[in-house]
């Protein structure tokens, strides 16, 4: 063997390289260990979604258990334990009355180990006009996750006075009347994923059942556990009714769909259609309410009931003139009830296929179900259901939960923005996660195949499923590609969530219901091309004389001109609600006619300058209201004698931005502010408590960031809920700084706005603390909060409370896993915690050039009053659902909004800490230069104190200039 002699020089190099390699290996080993630890930590934090006792798993676990054969009846007045309940007579029956807080528990004995369904007989009681919600516990525990939320609908009646006609001959719906009557409910899935009611496994012996109140009061007259009964098939039903004939073979009975008897939701009011002359009554020269719109009738569980009178006993077909032009390549489903009962199994899924025009659909399709009806009154009810799509949507929902877990596992190692040129060895660090991607891809492809077999059409409906299925397959087969695909993966998870939400929507327009004998051929064909052309010509011609979008019912010198600008969630529906309230409440009581107009944003300034502006303008941002006021264009409303009495409806914080030098220029309509949202499931698994103070935030940041998660405080306006954003000069960064400043009892201005106070000791200390969170602690600067929160990247953070609406509507997969509370606060010398935040305000102003000051004052008092704001908020939510929840500035109106009791308590707690930011001449420079200072410090590492003090000089110069310009410098 030949030996090689190494020179001292080369020997030194070898030693150096060896040390370097070992050092690198050690670092790699430590990094891998840290990543493994992080992966383990995150896996624990994300197991809740997959390991929750969902009903899907619960049902599988007890699938071999017998179905009960006996019924267990619980007397509602035989209470074991309760809080905030009472026993009283309701609708002639001695019942348990449950408020929207508290609980009630009962003890019962099971003699047969088996599966049971839970039944309640209840009556709604006067409340906030929203669904009743309860939690169910058996022996002190949720039997499965879905038991956290039992939703019971209210019942509303369409009366003769529900439809009214305005001065232009246009019909509008005046609202439903709530009906309080005993209703039977069987515990079932709120989302409609499961066709059958939930079955609860009970072993023989003694048990307890508890109903925790979440929202709205109710009365209970019966509780029972009973067996799930099997339904007849249509063949069995048909055989049973064989031999019956129909003597009435002439004209079919026609029910106009807009003439409902009862509905489950106030959102199910009549709409109008002008696209076809066959939609009756025909809407051409004016609006005629002639159908039920699918945009309102689309949520699982919603139902509409009609009543009809049958002349003779016999067999009948039921047909529907409908339009399903919403779900391309798919169908929507309805469950059919006759007199409150589903007649046979197939009636649970009446399918309506996609078509761009109106179509006639007979229940049963090619089979045409023959339904036996006796002479007399009958009720026909259609309930929104997912039908045969239920199990497919449920499967995709579970896939999303699994992929969210995989996303968090990967993010633990790579972070939210992976290095594209680095191999993270994910297949070694998290092999089960990589395998899971392939498994979920296969599940998605199976769902796609089932949908195609069902619909027979490959529409846009499944494109998002195909995209993420292919993406997951590629990541599973080739893990080194994951960093490059991670950003797309995150976006596609959002798309998958949207697909689930969209699929749960089952919209269907309905014009008429036909009840006819099987031998009758319906003459409900489509109009010919000439009839359609003539109808459209008439509609076009009439538009020159009758503008259906006009709200000007009371033009003239004596009318008060009111403009509704395109501010918070405005549109025709909301304008109609306000118009309706004006016509049936304000005008009759005050004898003041209103010329009400919905105008485009930005119209007020040019109109006012030209002398054609309104007397009153609604939904004006505080900054705009003060800009008009400083220029002498807005009336000082504090001069009215009852001003102080009227303003007792608000917290002082709502008045601060609308007041300058003792004069007030608007009544608050809307007030929003930040709260802290947190993912309870993730924080629990990480062993973290929601932070109460900023010191707590510093304590939890290492654990969050170790798992590549983060805390968030908004800086840019990217995270704003656009539906409820309020225009103005205050950026989210300004409001975040204000939050921390107010908690230290600091202010923005000195001498009533004459000078900036940002160069003070407290102000500069707060600025340093604020910028340090982003520069030193790496809080995210730009993000979309709702999406990041749903994915788990930001499991805790500060955001405007209206984000609640988006989370409830667009991210149902995390319902019950998150909460909100007060923002982190600053501990005071006396030990209390100051949770102050800055609020945003919109208000109603009276233009100074009005000649109707007293009438204008009466109107804005009416509009901002508790009763009006409460009714407006409820009707907006009835139209738009939870996404339209109205953030009123009126305290009592907020209390009457459809919040559950715990969320309302948290909201009101933070409300008391809201402070207003004064609007002063030149104040826009404060926000502008605070933002500029923030950028210099965070992006360019400038000294925080010096940078802010330097920019205060510029702010003061602008303040002095504007004070002089507007004559306030004296």
């Amino acid at each position: 063997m030949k030996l090689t002699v190494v020179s001292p020089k080369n020997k030194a190099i070898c030693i150096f390289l060896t040390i370097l390699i070992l050092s690198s290996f050690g670092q790699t080993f430590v990094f891998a260990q840290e990543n493994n630890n992080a992966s383990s930590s995150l896996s624990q934090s994300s197991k809740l979604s997959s390991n929750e006792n969902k009903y899907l798993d619960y049902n599988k676990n007890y699938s071999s258990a017998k179905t009960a054969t006996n019924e267990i009846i619980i007397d509602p007045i035989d209470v074991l334990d309760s809080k905030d309940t009472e026993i009283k007579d309701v609708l002639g029956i001695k019942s348990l009355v449950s408020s929207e807080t508290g609980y009630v528990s009962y003890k019962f004995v099971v003699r047969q180990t088996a599966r049971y369904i839970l039944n309640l007989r209840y009556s709604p009681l006067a409340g906030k006009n929203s669904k009743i919600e309860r939690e169910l516990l058996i022996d002190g525990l949720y039997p499965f996750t879905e038991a956290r939320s039992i939703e019971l609908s209210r019942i509303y009646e369409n009366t003769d006075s529900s439809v009214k006609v305005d001065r232009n001959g246009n019909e509008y719906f005046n609202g439903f009347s709530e009906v309080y009557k005993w209703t039977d409910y069987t515990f079932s899935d709120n989302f409609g994923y499961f066709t059958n009611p939930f079955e609860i496994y009970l072993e023989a012996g003694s048990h307890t059942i508890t109903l925790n109140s979440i929202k709205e009061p109710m009365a209970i007259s019966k509780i029972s556990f009973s067996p799930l009964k099997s339904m007849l098939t249509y063949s069995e039903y048909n055989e049973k009714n064989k031999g019956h004939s129909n003597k009435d073979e002439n004209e079919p009975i026609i029910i106009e769909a807009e003439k409902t008897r009862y509905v489950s939701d106030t959102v199910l009011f009549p709409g109008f259609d002008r696209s076809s002359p066959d939609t009756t009554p025909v809407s051409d020269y004016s609006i005629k309410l002639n159908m039920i719109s699918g945009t309102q009738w689309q949520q699982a569980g919603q139902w509409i009931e009609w009543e009809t009178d049958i002349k003779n006993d016999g067999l009948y077909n039921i047909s529907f003139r409908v339009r399903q032009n919403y779900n391309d390549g798919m169908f929507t489903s309805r469950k059919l009830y006759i007199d409150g009962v589903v007649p046979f199994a197939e009636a649970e899924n009446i399918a309506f296929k996609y078509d761009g025009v109106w179509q006639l659909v007979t229940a049963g399709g090619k089979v045409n179900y023959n339904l036996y009806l006796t002479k007399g009154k009958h009720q026909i009810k259609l309930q929104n259901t997912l039908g045969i799509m239920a199990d497919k949507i449920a499967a995709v929902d579970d896939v999303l939960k699994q992929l969210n877990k995989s996303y968090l596992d990967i993010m633990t190692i790579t972070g939210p923005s992976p290095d594209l040129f680095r191999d993270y060895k994910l297949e070694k660090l998290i092999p089960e996660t990589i395998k899971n991607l392939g498994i979920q891809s296969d599940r998605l492809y199976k769902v796609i195949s089932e949908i195609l077999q069902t619909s027979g059409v490959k529409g846009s409906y499944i494109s998002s499923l195909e995209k993420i299925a292919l993406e997951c397959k590629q990541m599973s087969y080739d893990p080194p590609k994951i960093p490059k695909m991670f950003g797309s993966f995150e976006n596609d998870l959002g798309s998958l969530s949207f697909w689930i939400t969209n699929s749960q929507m089952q919209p269907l327009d309905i014009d008429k219901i036909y009840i006819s004998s099987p031998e009758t051929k319906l003459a409900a064909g489509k109009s010919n091309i000439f009839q359609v052309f003539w109808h459209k010509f008439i509609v076009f011609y009439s538009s020159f004389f009758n503008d259906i979008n006009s709200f000007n019912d009371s033009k003239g010198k004596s009318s008060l001109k009111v403009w509704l600008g395109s501010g918070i969630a405005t549109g025709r529906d909301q304008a109609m609600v306000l118009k309706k309230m004006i016509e049936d409440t304000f005008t009759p009581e005050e004898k003041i006619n209103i010329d009400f107009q919905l105008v485009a944003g930005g119209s007020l300034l040019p109109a006012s300058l030209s002398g054609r502006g309104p007397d009153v303008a609604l939904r004006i941002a505080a900054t705009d209201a003060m800009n008009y006021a400083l220029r002498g264009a807005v009336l000082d409303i504090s001069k009215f004698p009852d001003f102080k009495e009227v303003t007792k409806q608000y917290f002082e914080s709502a008045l601060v931005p609308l007041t300058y030098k003792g004069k007030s220029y608007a009544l608050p309509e809307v007030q929003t502010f930040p709260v802290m949202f947190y993912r309870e499931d993730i924080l629990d698994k990480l062993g973290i408590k929601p932070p109460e103070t900023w010191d707590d935030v510093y304590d939890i940041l290492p654990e969050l960031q170790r798992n590549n998660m983060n805390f968030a405080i908004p800086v840019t306006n990217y995270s704003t809920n656009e539906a409820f954003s309020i225009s103005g000069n205050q950026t989210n960064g300004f409001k975040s700084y204000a939050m921390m400043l107010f908690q230290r009892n600091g202010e923005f201005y000195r001498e009533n706005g004459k000078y900036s106070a940002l160069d003070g000791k407290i102000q500069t200390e707060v600025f340093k603390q604020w910028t340090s969170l982003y520069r030193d602690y790496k809080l995210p600067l730009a993000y979309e909060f709702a999406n990041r929160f749903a994915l788990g990247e930001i499991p805790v953070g500060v955001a405007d409370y209206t984000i609640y609406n988006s989370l409830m509507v667009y991210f149902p997969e995390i319902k019950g896993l998150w909460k909100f509370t007060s923002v982190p606060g600053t501990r005071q010398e006396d030990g209390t915690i100051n949770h102050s935040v800055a609020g945003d305000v919109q208000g109603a102003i009276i233009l100074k050039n009005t000649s109707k000051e007293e009438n204008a004052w009466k109107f804005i008092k009416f509009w901002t009053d508790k009763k009006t704001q409460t009714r407006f908020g409820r009707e907006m939510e009835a139209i738009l659902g939870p996404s339209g929840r109205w953030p009123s500035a009126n305290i009592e109106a907020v209390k009457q909004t459809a919040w559950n009791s715990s969320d309302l308590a948290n909201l009101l707690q933070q409300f008391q800490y809201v402070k207003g930011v004064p609007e002063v001449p030149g104040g826009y420079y404060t926000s502008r230069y605070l933002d500029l200072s923030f950028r210099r410090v965070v992006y360019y590492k400038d000294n925080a104190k010096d940078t802010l003090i330097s920019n205060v000089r510029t702010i003061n110069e602008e303040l002095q200039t504007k004070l002089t310009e507007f004559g306030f410098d004296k």
Side-chain angles (χ1 to χ4, degrees):
M1 179 181 291
K2 184 178 179 181
L3 297 175
T4 303
V5 179
V6 180
S7 68
K9 181 180 179 181
N10 288 338
K11 185 176 181 181
I13 293 173
C14 289
I15 293 171
F16 174 76
L17 290 174
T18 301
I19 293 172
L20 184 63
I21 292 170
L22 289 173
S23 175
S24 299
F25 175 78
Q27 289 177 354
T28 303
F29 178 76
V30 170
F31 172 77
Q33 287 289 80
E34 287 177 351
N35 278 329
N36 272 313
N37 291 338
S39 177
S40 173
S41 179
L42 182 71
S43 295
Q44 290 299 315
S45 74
S46 58
K47 278 182 180 177
L48 185 59
S49 292
S50 58
N51 285 355
E52 274 189 309
N53 194 20
K54 304 287 288 184
Y55 181 72
L56 187 67
D57 300 320
Y58 177 91
N59 195 37
K60 288 178 182 176
N61 291 339
Y62 297 108
S63 59
S64 59
K66 294 179 180 179
T67 298
T69 58
N70 65 310
E71 184 178 25
I72 304 168
I73 298 176
I74 301 172
D75 188 346
I77 66 174
D78 188 14
V79 175
L80 174 67
D81 187 22
S82 69
K83 179 183 178 184
D84 297 337
T85 65
E86 59 179 319
I87 306 298
K88 63 188 297 187
D89 186 89
V90 177
L91 301 174
I93 300 176
K94 199 171 185 181
S95 312
L96 175 105
V97 173
S98 165
S99 70
E100 66 174 356
T101 59
Y103 64 89
V104 60
S105 294
Y106 300 95
K107 187 176 182 179
F108 64 99
V109 176
V110 175
R111 304 194 183 283
Q112 176 190 19
T113 298
R115 291 179 295 159
Y116 297 80
I117 60 173
L118 173 64
N119 310 288
L120 297 176
R121 181 165 294 162
Y122 75 98
S123 172
L125 299 176
K128 300 176 182 176
N129 213 35
S130 63
K131 287 183 178 180
I132 300 162
E133 190 173 357
R134 295 294 184 269
E135 289 181 332
L136 168 68
L137 294 91
I138 302 294
D139 298 328
L141 300 171
Y142 303 112
F144 38 83
T145 305
E146 289 84 350
R148 289 175 179 267
S149 177
I150 296 178
E151 291 185 350
L152 302 97
S153 64
R154 292 180 173 274
I155 303 172
Y156 301 93
E157 185 177 18
N158 187 348
T159 63
D160 292 337
S161 62
S162 294
V163 177
K164 290 192 175 183
V165 180
D166 66 20
R167 293 177 178 85
N168 292 329
N170 296 318
E171 292 182 351
Y172 65 93
F173 193 67
N174 193 45
F176 293 104
S177 299
E178 185 168 3
V179 177
Y180 301 107
K181 67 174 187 176
W182 292 113
T183 304
D184 290 320
Y185 166 81
T186 301
F187 181 31
S188 52
D189 184 29
N190 296 336
F191 295 110
Y193 290 160
F194 303 95
T195 305
N196 290 329
F198 288 142
E199 291 187 90
I200 300 172
Y201 175 76
L202 296 172
E203 293 184 346
S206 180
H207 296 273
T208 60
I209 177 174
T210 302
L211 293 173
N212 285 337
S213 296
I214 302 298
K215 189 166 62 173
E216 296 285 31
M218 65 184 287
I220 304 173
S221 63
K222 182 181 178 181
I223 304 173
S224 67
F225 289 95
S226 63
L228 177 63
K229 296 178 181 177
S230 59
M231 295 184 67
L232 294 175
T233 64
Y234 175 66
S235 296
E236 293 169 335
Y237 174 88
N238 197 34
E239 186 67 29
K240 177 183 174 183
N241 293 299
K242 231 173 188 181
H244 291 291
S245 61
N246 192 326
K247 297 177 182 178
D248 183 14
E249 298 180 1
N250 300 316
E251 292 298 318
I253 298 170
I254 300 176
I255 304 172
E256 291 288 350
E258 67 276 7
K259 297 185 181 299
T260 58
R261 183 71 176 99
Y262 297 112
V263 299
S264 64
D265 203 323
T266 54
V267 74
L268 300 173
F269 53 81
F272 69 95
D273 172 65
R274 312 182 90 203
S275 67
S276 168
D278 296 313
T279 308
T280 57
V282 179
S283 178
D284 42 29
Y285 288 99
S286 58
I287 293 176
K288 299 293 182 185
L289 300 180
N290 56 10
M291 48 91 81
I292 299 292
S293 172
T295 56
Q296 310 303 121
W297 193 24
Q298 61 180 343
Q299 295 181 356
Q302 287 180 326
W303 55 262
I304 300 176
E305 184 174 284
W306 297 268
E307 189 170 81
T308 189
D309 197 354
I310 301 298
K311 296 179 181 178
N312 298 294
D313 297 354
L315 298 175
Y316 293 86
N317 291 157
I318 299 183
S319 305
F320 311 92
R321 184 173 186 266
V322 296
R323 180 175 58 189
Q324 200 284 92
N325 59 351
Y326 298 92
N327 292 339
D328 182 14
M330 194 35 61
F331 51 82
T332 59
S333 301
R334 293 294 184 270
K335 184 187 291 187
L336 174 65
Y337 293 82
I338 304 295
D339 299 326
V341 177
V342 180
F344 43 84
E346 288 84 347
E348 291 193 325
N349 179 28
I350 308 295
F352 300 90
K353 291 187 177 181
Y354 176 85
D355 199 327
V357 297
W358 288 96
Q359 55 182 310
L360 187 67
V361 177
T362 300
K366 296 178 181 179
V367 176
N368 285 4
Y369 299 143
N370 293 329
L371 292 136
Y372 178 66
L373 299 175
T374 58
K375 180 182 177 180
K377 297 281 187 183
H378 289 275
Q379 289 74 43
I380 297 172
K381 183 166 80 172
L382 289 179
Q383 184 177 31
N384 200 331
T385 178
L386 300 181
I388 60 174
M389 281 296 295
D391 59 339
K392 300 168 184 58
I393 300 172
V396 176
D397 183 65
D398 190 60
V399 167
L400 176 61
K401 289 179 171 62
Q402 296 293 334
L403 291 180
N404 278 338
K405 176 185 179 300
S406 296
Y407 175 87
L408 287 173
D409 289 344
I410 295 169
M411 191 192 67
T412 298
I413 296 170
T414 67
S417 301
D419 185 342
L420 302 183
F421 302 101
R422 179 176 176 180
D423 184 358
Y424 289 91
K425 304 294 183 184
L426 297 173
E427 66 276 16
K428 294 183 178 178
L429 293 174
I430 45 173
E432 290 301 317
T433 297
I434 302 303
K435 182 181 177 182
N436 184 55
L437 291 173
I439 292 171
Q440 303 312 318
S441 175
D442 292 340
R443 292 180 68 190
L444 284 176
Y445 277 123
K446 182 181 178 183
V447 170
I448 292 168
S449 176
E450 291 173 351
I451 292 174
L452 290 175
Q453 288 175 9
T454 302
S455 65
V457 179
K458 187 176 181 179
S460 58
Y461 184 75
I462 63 171
S463 58
S464 58
L465 296 185
E466 290 180 318
K467 186 173 184 294
I468 196 166
L470 176 61
E471 192 171 53
C472 290
K473 185 68 70 178
Q474 290 174 337
M475 290 192 293
S476 177
Y477 283 157
D478 195 357
K481 284 187 177 179
I482 289 177
K484 294 180 181 179
M485 302 176 70
F486 198 58
S488 175
F489 182 45
E490 176 189 337
N491 293 332
D492 289 338
L493 287 177
S495 298
L496 194 60
S497 177
F498 178 77
W499 185 93
I500 293 169
T501 303
N502 192 50
S503 297
Q504 290 171 345
M505 302 293 107
Q506 297 283 301
L508 182 71
D509 298 334
I510 181 166
D511 170 39
K512 299 180 189 69
I513 301 172
Y514 298 88
I515 303 174
S516 59
S517 66
E519 292 79 14
T520 301
K521 186 174 181 180
L522 295 177
K526 301 172 186 175
S527 298
N528 61 47
I529 189 171
F530 300 104
Q531 292 170 315
V532 173
F533 172 79
W534 180 250
H535 170 72
K536 291 187 180 294
F537 173 77
I538 293 296
V539 171
F540 172 72
Y541 177 76
S542 67
S543 67
F544 291 97
F545 306 99
N546 183 20
D547 183 5
I548 66 170
N549 292 312
S550 172
F551 298 90
N552 304 338
D553 294 339
S554 306
K555 294 180 181 179
K557 292 183 179 180
S558 62
S559 299
L560 186 72
K561 187 185 289 187
V562 177
W563 280 14
L564 175 63
S566 56
I568 290 185
T570 54
R572 180 180 170 79
D573 289 330
Q574 293 75 31
M576 282 298 296
V577 170
L578 180 51
K579 174 178 177 286
K580 181 172 63 177
M581 291 194 296
I582 290 170
E583 289 190 344
D584 64 24
T585 304
F586 179 74
T587 297
E589 291 178 1
E590 299 292 344
K591 311 302 180 188
I592 299 171
N593 289 326
I594 302 295
D595 175 6
F596 180 56
Q597 300 179 38
L598 177 63
V599 298
S603 302
L604 184 60
L605 178 60
S608 298
L609 291 174
S610 64
R612 301 173 63 186
D615 299 298
V616 173
L618 306 181
R619 301 184 196 172
I620 304 298
T623 48
D624 294 333
M626 292 305 297
N627 281 333
Y628 282 112
L630 293 172
R631 290 162 175 80
V634 177
L635 195 69
D636 170 22
I637 61 174
S638 62
K639 68 179 186 179
F640 291 104
D642 55 347
F643 173 77
K644 288 187 178 180
E645 185 65 28
V646 170
T647 53
K648 288 179 180 178
Q649 302 176 98
Y650 318 103
F651 283 116
E652 184 183 352
S653 58
L655 300 170
V656 170
L658 305 173
T659 303
Y660 184 64
K661 286 189 176 291
K663 296 181 178 181
S664 295
Y665 296 99
L667 281 184
E669 299 177 58
V670 166
Q671 186 173 22
T672 64
F673 48 86
V675 294
M676 185 181 72
F677 294 88
Y678 62 96
R679 286 284 298 271
E680 196 174 25
D681 58 333
I682 294 177
L683 296 192
D684 282 350
K685 293 300 178 180
L686 290 176
I688 293 174
K689 292 183 178 180
E692 285 191 83
T693 67
W694 293 107
D695 288 338
D696 295 336
V697 172
Y698 290 119
D699 289 341
I700 70 171
L701 274 175
E703 184 64 24
L704 289 174
Q705 293 176 348
R706 188 179 300 121
N707 287 282
N708 278 319
M709 300 176 187
N710 219 329
F711 184 88
I713 313 169
V715 178
T716 66
N717 284 341
Y718 184 61
S719 61
T720 302
N721 179 355
E722 294 300 328
F724 288 96
S725 61
I726 298 178
S727 61
N729 297 317
Q730 297 176 10
T731 64
N732 276 333
F734 178 91
K735 286 176 279 190
S736 295
Y737 173 76
M739 169 178 64
M740 303 178 80
L741 178 64
F742 288 155
Q743 290 178 9
R744 296 276 300 273
N745 301 309
E747 299 292 342
F748 278 95
Y749 303 103
R750 296 196 300 267
E751 298 184 29
N752 203 18
K754 191 174 183 179
Y755 301 103
S756 172
L758 293 184
D759 54 355
K761 181 181 178 182
I762 291 176
Q763 286 79 355
T764 54
E765 287 177 355
V766 169
F767 183 74
K768 183 177 180 180
Q769 177 191 6
W770 177 50
T771 53
S772 174
L773 284 168
Y774 302 91
R775 187 174 73 175
D776 304 325
Y777 290 89
K778 307 304 178 186
L779 264 59
L781 290 163
Y783 55 90
E784 202 289 310
F785 179 78
N787 193 46
R788 297 293 182 94
F789 185 74
L791 287 171
E793 286 183 31
I794 300 176
V796 56
V798 174
D800 195 280
Y801 87 79
T802 56
I803 291 289
Y804 178 99
N805 306 351
S806 296
L807 293 173
M808 290 296 290
V809 174
Y810 300 113
F811 300 95
E813 69 271 15
I814 61 169
K815 183 179 180 181
L817 302 180
W818 59 272
K819 292 182 179 179
F820 73 87
T821 187
S822 300
V823 301
T826 301
R827 196 171 295 280
Q828 309 297 292
E829 291 183 0
D830 61 0
T832 61
I833 300 175
N834 187 334
H835 294 280
S836 291
V837 292
D840 270 333
V841 178
Q842 274 192 343
I845 62 174
I846 301 174
L847 279 299
K848 197 165 187 177
N849 59 1
T850 182
S851 60
K852 310 176 186 69
E853 290 186 6
E854 290 295 332
N855 287 353
W857 174 240
K858 287 180 180 178
F859 179 79
I860 66 172
K861 284 195 298 181
F862 156 79
W863 166 232
T864 57
D865 181 68
K866 175 188 75 172
K867 286 178 63 177
T868 308
Q869 286 286 297
T870 298
R871 178 180 169 187
F872 184 79
R874 288 180 178 179
E875 296 204 25
M876 269 195 67
E877 192 157 353
I879 294 169
L880 301 175
S883 64
R885 186 161 294 175
W886 180 245
S888 179
N890 189 298
I891 304 165
E892 293 304 315
V894 171
K895 293 178 181 178
Q896 296 303 315
T897 306
W899 297 98
N900 66 49
S901 53
S902 61
D903 286 343
L904 177 61
N906 288 330
L907 190 68
L908 292 176
Q909 179 183 345
Q910 182 63 79
F911 218 142
Q912 297 178 44
Y913 284 100
V914 177
K915 296 191 70 174
V917 179
E919 292 287 344
V920 301
Y924 55 88
Y925 256 47
T926 301
S927 177
R928 185 180 302 175
Y929 277 88
L930 185 67
D931 182 65
L932 178 63
S933 301
F934 176 89
R935 293 172 184 271
R936 293 297 312 178
V937 173
V938 174
Y939 294 124
Y940 300 100
K941 312 301 182 186
D942 288 3
N943 180 272
K945 181 178 179 180
D946 293 345
T947 302
L948 185 60
I949 291 176
S950 175
N951 284 321
V952 166
R953 299 189 189 99
T954 307
I955 296 172
N956 281 333
E957 289 173 3
E958 184 65 15
L959 293 177
Q960 295 303 312
T961 300
K962 289 301 177 184
L963 285 170
T964 302
E965 180 182 340
F966 297 128
F968 291 113
D969 56 338
K970 298 177 183 179

